[in-house]
Amino acid sequence: MSVKGAKGSGGINEHGQEQNKLSVDDIIEKRRKTRPDFKLPEPEDDDPEDNEDSDLAEEEDDEHLDDQHDVEEEDEEEFGAGVRRAREASESEESHDEKDPLSSSEDEDDEEERQSDEDEDEDEDDSENSEAESEQETEVEKARKAAFFAVEDQQTGKAKDGADETPTFQSLSLSRPLLRALATLNFHTPTPIQARSIPIALAGKDIVAGAVTGSGKTAAFMIPILERLAHRPKGRDEAKTRVIILMPTRELAVQCASVGRALGKFLDVRFCLAVGGLSLKTQEAELKLRPDIVIATPGRLIDHMRNSASFGIEDVEIVIMDEADRMLEEGFSAELNEILEMTPKARQTMLFSATMTDDVDELVRLSMKRPVRLFVDPKRSTAKKLIQEFVRVRGQMSVGQDDGGNNGGSSSVVKKRTEDEARPALLLSLCTRTFRTKVIIFVRSKKLAHQLRIVFGLVGLSAGELHGDLSQEQRLQSLQSFKDGRTDFLIATDLASRGLDIRGVETVINYDMPTQFEQYLHRVGRTARAGRNGRAVTLVGQGDRKMLKMALKRSPAAQVKHRMIPGEVVLQISERLEEIKGDVDVVLREEKEEKELRRAEMELTKGQNMVEHREEIMSRPKRTWFQSESEKHKQEQLGTKEYLNKVGGGDKEKKTSKEGRDKFSGLSRKKKRMKIAREEDAEMNKRGEIDAGIRAAKKAQRPKELGVLESKGGPSKGKNKDKGNKKTRSSFNKVGKGAAGGFASDLGDRSGSAGARGAAKGKGKAKTKAPKTAKGGKASNKNRRR
Ligand SMILES: Nc1ncnc2c1ncn2[C@@H]1O[C@H](COP(=O)(O)OP(=O)(O)OP(=O)(O)O)[C@@H](O)[C@H]1O
């Protein structure tokens, strides 16, 4: 293959030198050199045509536009007028008189289309009504909330009249090292969410807090955590993991750790980042030292809870769940429950997010004690300095003139295209003429993100991509080069829509409208953060009008605009894009070949390692891991079946298992169980030396305070060994009672009989590290990552 010829095939060559990998950038660059430069339209700094507002309707038509363009222009005007009408309607709060922002009153829409529009409108009205209802608290709900949530003023002891005064960090009674760190970061005044949550968090209360994107929620929980840790008992024996911060994605965890380290700069507080995709061994070593704060994604934390010697969460005093709704969306509810149940009952729990869902309400109800509700901004609102622009995407566009020889006159040629085909040219028009640096572009799929990145590369724009198809290292690199300004555009999926705080992002472009309004809020919230200006531009297709209406309804009139892109610019770019279509395919093909080659090399290396180091590899203990619901179910069934076979509870299985009948015939139930246990012990002993070695190593690593005295014989069987009066919220007792699946899921990658034994012995083994049966976990590992 030519590509390989250019840079070698990677790995080690015959001279023992490492050969370079061929990255997608190399492939794009190589391809770009084979064709003339893509001529980009002239940048226009202050293009009045681009930016429509109320005065645009009075502008004269461009003389170069043909008839078809006139129709499109009118259509655009209608769209703009629709945006204005919707805005006005939102201002007067007469939402049901609101006109469809995409409608064109004198449109030539056919009857069928009109009918379907009406149907859709009805649906929208219905859903908006129900939404309005759900936003309006009923008396019953109010009473329920009053009974469950604590009142803020009571908690802080503040008089109501004092609430309006803007506090300073000094007035929040923070210690000097923290005040110094805040000054270093140029945080002079607490943001509203910080001003309200810090005193309550310092008082040890549970909190459920919501505030718009970019309003400083991270520091709102990090400051009181650090302040509380500043007063913890110190000394060698006091090293404990006291705080766990759970984040939905690795990037957010990394970001949160960096905020924490910056704020804790002058305090002797130790952090550990425990996220997937980074070295397990390094994390294990750090956890062994019992860091004060562990910032983790739920899956990786559970992995460590089960597999890392000497790490336990039984001393945790504070649990934070950031972006809790996203964690639940991602199917982490079983993991969250397991983590919460393993921590002490007396802990403080705080939950933060810019958006909340019903599932979060449920989590709050199950995991918190009389939390204080802090919602500082109107529900579903955007940052104050965010300008939202909308660009209409049409699925049809004229591409030139036909002299009309056949039709007896001149007419434009109208090329039918789908909205999706129209979007790339609109995007490139925006990115080449108006928004040229510090732009995040959100797209709906990983594949699209990658293809667009190739397109950007081929036309000479510097773009990176961020989505779940990349390795952790690639994700972090991509993010870093965008932060450093080495790339101007970051093309991302919703993986990046939450929480990412990138200073100086000027524009967010929604290549397509997200399907959930919450998602829209998080995406546009990547700009206009911390009181800065920012702009969000959304391409709006026919099917996106419901979302558009919601956005218009919730935004002040001055912040909403309709952007129009001159038709000829879009046409010019569309034609160029047609020309490079083939190149995109070539790049994708070469990239695939390159990947296959790498995979083949990896397999080869793996095979070699297996031959050379077989014994060592086979002796490594398997890690237990959480499973998907279907895996848990299968495991549960398998465990139950084997158990029933052995104890004689399952008639069918008993009859078909000759061996089982002979072996246990004539024995009482109790004796059967004992015999099974003995057999299993013997079986386990065959694995003996390895397991004994592992147990001994774990025991040796365990700090004295957690271990059982040598004289009492052997290591404790679990991290949750009873320590004085400390209670945990564990429900393992419940699990032990015959719930074969609960244990089976822990021993998932050991033999099914071990799972059955767990069930048989389960009664009363409340303090083992085995997980409880996960209830309500929706997603498998596969769909956790985007
Ligand atoms: N008191 C403050 N003064 C000035 N800047 C602040 C202050 N607190 C936080 N910031 C800055 O505000 C920005 C946004 O903070 P943060 O990322 O915590 O927002 P957020 O509310 O968690 O946003 P999101 O909902 O998108 O996750 C950060 O760059 C942070 O440095």
Side-chain angles (χ1 to χ4, degrees):
M1 192 180 86
S2 60
V3 177
K4 304 294 152 336
K7 283 221 173 182
S9 56
I12 306 291
N13 68 13
E14 59 204 1
H15 308 294
Q17 296 156 331
E18 188 154 357
Q19 290 175 312
N20 290 329
K21 281 184 192 169
L22 203 57
S23 74
V24 65
D25 283 327
D26 299 330
I27 300 172
I28 293 171
E29 195 47 33
K30 196 164 69 80
R31 195 72 212 161
R32 203 163 79 89
K33 283 183 183 157
T34 64
R35 58 166 42 258
D37 264 357
F38 189 96
K39 201 169 169 312
L40 297 172
E42 287 301 304
E44 294 195 25
D45 285 334
D46 191 17
D47 184 5
E49 246 180 297
D50 260 13
N51 219 338
E52 188 265 7
D53 208 350
S54 51
D55 53 338
L56 182 99
E58 286 127 45
E59 269 178 28
E60 282 182 19
D61 285 347
D62 190 310
E63 53 182 354
H64 302 300
L65 297 180
D66 57 25
D67 289 348
Q68 176 59 30
H69 277 102
D70 287 344
V71 173
E72 286 168 359
E73 193 87 342
E74 277 170 27
D75 209 16
E76 285 286 350
E77 284 173 17
E78 281 303 325
F79 177 73
V83 170
R84 280 197 303 281
R85 282 195 297 270
R87 260 172 12 193
E88 283 153 16
S90 83
E91 277 180 331
S92 63
E93 291 191 352
E94 288 171 3
S95 59
H96 44 264
D97 286 342
E98 194 178 307
K99 284 271 171 49
D100 179 352
L102 287 184
S103 78
S104 349
S105 48
E106 292 110 343
D107 248 357
E108 59 288 346
D109 290 350
D110 61 31
E111 190 52 38
E112 198 184 325
E113 213 172 299
R114 214 175 350 250
Q115 187 55 49
S116 88
D117 284 353
E118 278 167 17
D119 292 348
E120 262 185 61
D121 280 351
E122 271 171 34
D123 288 352
E124 283 165 20
D125 287 346
D126 286 353
S127 73
E128 286 194 7
N129 284 342
S130 66
E131 199 182 295
E133 275 164 28
S134 73
E135 279 182 23
Q136 237 176 18
E137 275 183 343
T138 62
E139 286 306 313
V140 179
E141 276 170 342
K142 274 186 195 157
R144 190 172 55 79
K145 277 187 183 159
F148 182 72
F149 291 101
V151 181
E152 183 184 351
D153 285 342
Q154 281 173 6
Q155 302 306 315
T156 54
K158 252 197 232 157
K160 268 235 182 259
D161 359 326
D164 287 341
E165 284 170 25
T166 313
T168 59
F169 283 118
Q170 281 78 5
S171 71
L172 294 173
S173 330
L174 302 174
S175 54
R176 287 176 73 84
L178 206 41
L179 289 173
R180 254 181 89 196
L182 285 164
T184 315
L185 289 170
N186 281 326
F187 288 10
H188 302 297
T189 320
T191 63
I193 187 69
Q194 291 164 1
R196 286 188 50 196
S197 56
I198 292 171
I200 300 169
L202 286 176
K205 303 289 171 195
D206 284 6
I207 291 178
V208 184
V212 289
T213 50
S215 56
K217 293 186 285 294
T218 317
F221 60 76
M222 198 59 89
I223 293 170
I225 288 176
L226 291 169
E227 182 62 33
R228 289 192 65 191
L229 286 177
H231 304 285
R232 74 195 183 282
K234 291 174 193 156
R236 248 181 67 203
D237 292 343
E238 296 293 344
K240 283 171 188 168
T241 294
R242 296 167 197 266
V243 181
I244 287 181
I245 302 176
L246 295 167
M247 311 290 294
T249 63
R250 303 157 187 186
E251 283 77 6
L252 287 188
V254 171
Q255 184 178 292
C256 178
S258 108
V259 173
R261 287 188 176 118
L263 285 168
K265 197 173 167 187
F266 304 109
L267 289 162
D268 58 345
V269 171
R270 286 172 309 124
F271 288 85
C272 171
L273 189 59
V275 295
L278 299 177
S279 160
L280 266 168
K281 287 273 162 273
T282 316
Q283 287 169 21
E284 272 177 15
E286 284 179 25
L287 290 172
K288 207 170 123 186
L289 301 172
R290 311 219 135 212
D292 304 287
I293 302 178
V294 174
I295 301 172
T297 44
R300 181 53 71 97
L301 185 71
I302 293 211
D303 188 354
H304 284 300
M305 279 157 60
R306 294 188 190 169
N307 301 299
S308 297
S310 80
F311 173 67
I313 58 172
E314 62 281 351
D315 291 313
V316 165
E317 291 166 20
I318 305 175
V319 175
I320 307 285
M321 289 179 273
D322 195 17
E323 310 278 0
D325 53 335
R326 169 73 184 272
M327 287 195 277
L328 294 174
E329 251 172 47
E330 293 285 298
F332 278 127
S333 78
E335 285 74 28
L336 289 181
N337 285 332
E338 182 174 343
I339 293 164
L340 290 167
E341 282 173 0
M342 293 285 277
T343 53
K345 240 181 180 168
R347 64 164 194 265
Q348 177 183 22
T349 315
M350 292 186 262
L351 190 148
F352 284 76
S353 186
T355 51
M356 297 283 171
T357 59
D358 290 347
D359 286 348
V360 177
D361 286 348
E362 182 69 3
L363 182 66
V364 168
R365 208 174 50 74
L366 295 175
S367 63
M368 293 190 165
K369 301 175 300 286
R370 295 270 297 154
V372 181
R373 272 167 59 89
L374 298 174
F375 288 90
V376 299
D377 297 299
K379 203 171 171 184
R380 295 169 151 187
S381 54
T382 49
K384 287 201 176 63
K385 290 196 181 168
L386 176 76
I387 301 293
Q388 297 171 74
E389 294 186 357
F390 299 93
V391 177
R392 180 168 190 183
V393 183
R394 269 193 306 266
Q396 155 179 317
M397 192 179 278
S398 61
V399 291
Q401 292 275 330
D402 183 348
D403 70 7
N406 297 331
N407 301 316
S410 169
S411 66
S412 63
V413 176
V414 176
K415 188 182 173 193
K416 283 268 179 193
R417 62 172 73 214
T418 63
E419 283 180 359
D420 277 350
E421 282 166 343
R423 284 175 201 269
L426 289 171
L427 176 69
L428 277 181
S429 308
L430 290 167
C431 295
T432 52
R433 303 172 74 241
T434 322
F435 306 110
R436 283 169 291 149
T437 51
K438 290 275 176 199
V439 183
I440 301 185
I441 300 159
F442 282 107
V443 298
R444 67 175 170 271
S445 73
K446 301 181 264 195
K447 196 172 155 195
L448 189 57
H450 187 57
Q451 283 172 350
L452 282 173
R453 183 259 176 107
I454 295 172
V455 170
F456 271 56
L458 287 171
V459 304
L461 298 174
S462 68
E465 54 190 305
L466 184 60
H467 51 77
D469 267 357
L470 306 180
S471 68
Q472 183 60 20
E473 201 191 341
Q474 288 171 321
R475 277 154 66 164
L476 292 174
Q477 265 172 10
S478 211
L479 205 54
Q480 200 53 49
S481 51
F482 181 65
K483 280 184 179 172
D484 297 346
R486 279 177 282 135
T487 45
D488 294 323
F489 303 93
L490 183 66
I491 306 172
T493 59
D494 280 300
L495 176 83
S497 69
R498 291 267 189 162
L500 280 187
D501 183 53
I502 304 172
R503 190 164 282 241
V505 172
E506 290 164 9
T507 315
V508 165
I509 298 180
N510 285 314
Y511 180 81
D512 30 42
M513 183 68 106
T515 48
Q516 301 288 320
F517 190 62
E518 277 71 17
Q519 232 167 320
Y520 174 81
L521 291 175
H522 286 288
R523 283 181 177 191
V524 301
R526 294 318 98 209
T527 184
R529 297 173 70 74
R532 295 189 189 89
N533 292 324
R535 196 168 283 256
V537 186
T538 304
L539 304 187
V540 184
Q542 191 68 16
D544 302 325
R545 50 185 163 177
K546 184 179 166 193
M547 284 294 143
L548 173 63
K549 277 167 91 173
M550 286 174 92
L552 296 173
K553 203 169 148 186
R554 287 172 171 80
S555 313
Q559 285 176 234
V560 182
K561 288 189 177 1
H562 164 217
R563 174 169 288 272
M564 216 173 81
I565 304 170
E568 67 270 37
V569 172
V570 182
L571 279 181
Q572 190 194 337
I573 293 184
S574 297
E575 282 162 13
R576 296 286 97 79
L577 283 175
E578 278 298 316
E579 287 167 23
I580 61 162
K581 242 182 178 171
D583 297 273
V584 176
D585 293 338
V586 172
V587 171
L588 285 169
R589 202 177 50 243
E590 289 193 8
E591 203 193 356
K592 195 171 163 209
E593 285 168 359
E594 175 73 16
K595 269 187 193 155
E596 274 162 13
L597 200 78
R598 303 251 146 255
R599 200 169 304 134
E601 279 171 1
M602 227 172 70
E603 288 301 322
L604 196 72
T605 317
K606 234 164 103 180
Q608 270 172 348
N609 279 342
M610 205 58 184
V611 171
E612 286 166 26
H613 311 285
R614 187 179 176 81
E615 254 177 49
E616 190 213 322
I617 292 169
M618 296 310 283
S619 69
R620 284 177 196 156
K622 281 183 179 175
R623 300 182 75 83
T624 63
W625 190 240
F626 52 77
Q627 300 157 302
S628 68
E629 280 304 290
S630 66
E631 283 166 343
K632 282 169 191 166
H633 186 65
K634 265 189 213 153
Q635 202 68 46
E636 219 170 278
Q637 283 183 333
L638 187 70
T640 312
K641 199 170 152 190
E642 293 206 17
Y643 173 66
L644 290 175
N645 267 344
K646 289 181 179 177
V647 298
D651 283 346
K652 258 191 197 158
E653 281 77 12
K654 199 174 79 178
K655 274 172 206 148
T656 53
S657 166
K658 202 166 185 290
E659 196 198 335
R661 208 169 46 227
D662 291 341
K663 223 166 27 174
F664 300 111
S665 60
L667 294 180
S668 70
R669 227 177 152 75
K670 193 175 164 193
K671 281 189 178 153
K672 272 185 207 167
R673 270 202 220 115
M674 282 169 63
K675 188 166 175 159
I676 290 167
R678 268 202 306 278
E679 278 183 7
E680 281 171 354
D681 282 348
E683 207 177 288
M684 292 301 279
N685 282 342
K686 281 183 209 156
R687 286 192 64 201
E689 277 168 33
I690 303 161
D691 285 355
I694 297 162
R695 279 195 300 275
K698 284 188 177 181
K699 188 184 158 192
Q701 284 170 329
R702 205 165 279 151
K704 280 214 166 63
E705 57 166 0
L706 285 179
V708 174
L709 290 175
E710 293 297 324
S711 58
K712 285 193 179 170
S716 74
K717 288 225 166 172
K719 297 271 151 20
N720 238 10
K721 206 78 193 156
D722 209 352
K723 288 178 69 204
N725 291 329
K726 194 170 276 177
K727 285 180 190 166
T728 70
R729 294 186 186 190
S730 170
S731 59
F732 291 159
N733 278 328
K734 277 184 266 165
V735 177
K737 284 179 190 162
F743 288 91
S745 70
D746 181 40
L747 304 173
D749 44 11
R750 295 185 199 163
S751 73
S753 63
R757 185 183 59 150
K761 291 183 174 178
K763 267 188 185 176
K765 290 266 179 199
K767 307 286 182 189
T768 70
K769 280 188 83 179
K772 74 176 192 111
T773 306
K775 283 177 194 158
K778 285 177 240 163
S780 66
N781 289 343
K782 266 184 273 159
N783 61 13
R784 285 212 173 92
R785 291 173 194 147
R786 287 187 207 193

